[in-house]
């Protein structure tokens, strides 16, 4: 494998690309104790057993390592998501009323 793998997107630790005895190919985070991420891709290009480059390209897109949110950040994120969801539900209810009146 000529292309270097990017670190784990969950914890930033090094990653190993390996083939299981079943033939399944996957990415395995070396930080087993605190992260333990194991990733495989299920799509047409990645399911080709001879297409390692597609799997590596799927693993290595431009991305940043995710960090844990503080409790305050999680609450703020949840509140923003709830507001967005309320708006979607309201629009959906309006559409349902409109459809009901059309029938």
């Amino acid at each position: 494998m000529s292309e270097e793998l990017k670190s784990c997107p969950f914890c930033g630790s090094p990653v190993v690309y390996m083939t299981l005895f079943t033939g399944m190919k996957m990415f395995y985070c070396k930080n087993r104790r605190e992260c333990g991420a194991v990733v495989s891709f299920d799509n047409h290009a990645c399911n080709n057993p001879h297409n390692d480059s597609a799997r590596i390209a799927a693993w290595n897109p431009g991305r940043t390592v995710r960090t844990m949110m503080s409790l305050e950040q999680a609450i703020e994120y949840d509140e923003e998501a709830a507001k967005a969801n309320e708006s979607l539900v309201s629009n959906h209810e309006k559409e349902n009323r409109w459809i009901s009146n059309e029938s």
Side-chain angles (χ1 to χ4, degrees), residues 35-53:
C35 179
V38 177
V39 177
S40 65
F41 294 95
D42 185 18
N43 63 47
H44 181 70
C46 293
N47 287 339
N48 177 341
H50 306 292
N51 197 354
D52 287 344
S53 61

Side-chain angles (χ1 to χ4, degrees), residues 13-50:
S13 296
V15 172
V16 176
Y17 177 62
M18 60 191 307
T19 303
L20 299 177
F21 68 92
T22 60
M24 181 180 193
K25 299 185 182 216
M26 61 185 217
F27 299 90
Y28 175 66
C29 177
K30 287 185 173 183
N31 184 5
R32 291 179 61 192
R33 196 170 293 245
E34 295 173 8
C35 179
V38 177
V39 177
S40 65
F41 294 95
D42 185 18
N43 63 47
H44 181 70
C46 293
N47 287 339
N48 177 341
H50 306 292

Side-chain angles (χ1 to χ4, degrees), residues 75-101:
I75 291 170
E76 182 180 333
Y77 178 83
D78 187 51
E79 289 171 348
E80 290 172 6
K83 286 179 187 175
N85 192 40
E86 285 176 16
S87 175
L88 291 172
V89 169
S90 175
N91 288 340
H92 184 70
E93 289 171 345
K94 288 176 188 175
E95 290 170 356
N96 280 341
R97 283 194 298 272
W98 182 79
I99 291 170
S100 298
N101 291 335

Side-chain angles (χ1 to χ4, degrees), residues 51-62:
N51 197 354
D52 287 344
S53 61
R55 281 182 285 280
I56 293 166
W59 179 261
N60 278 345

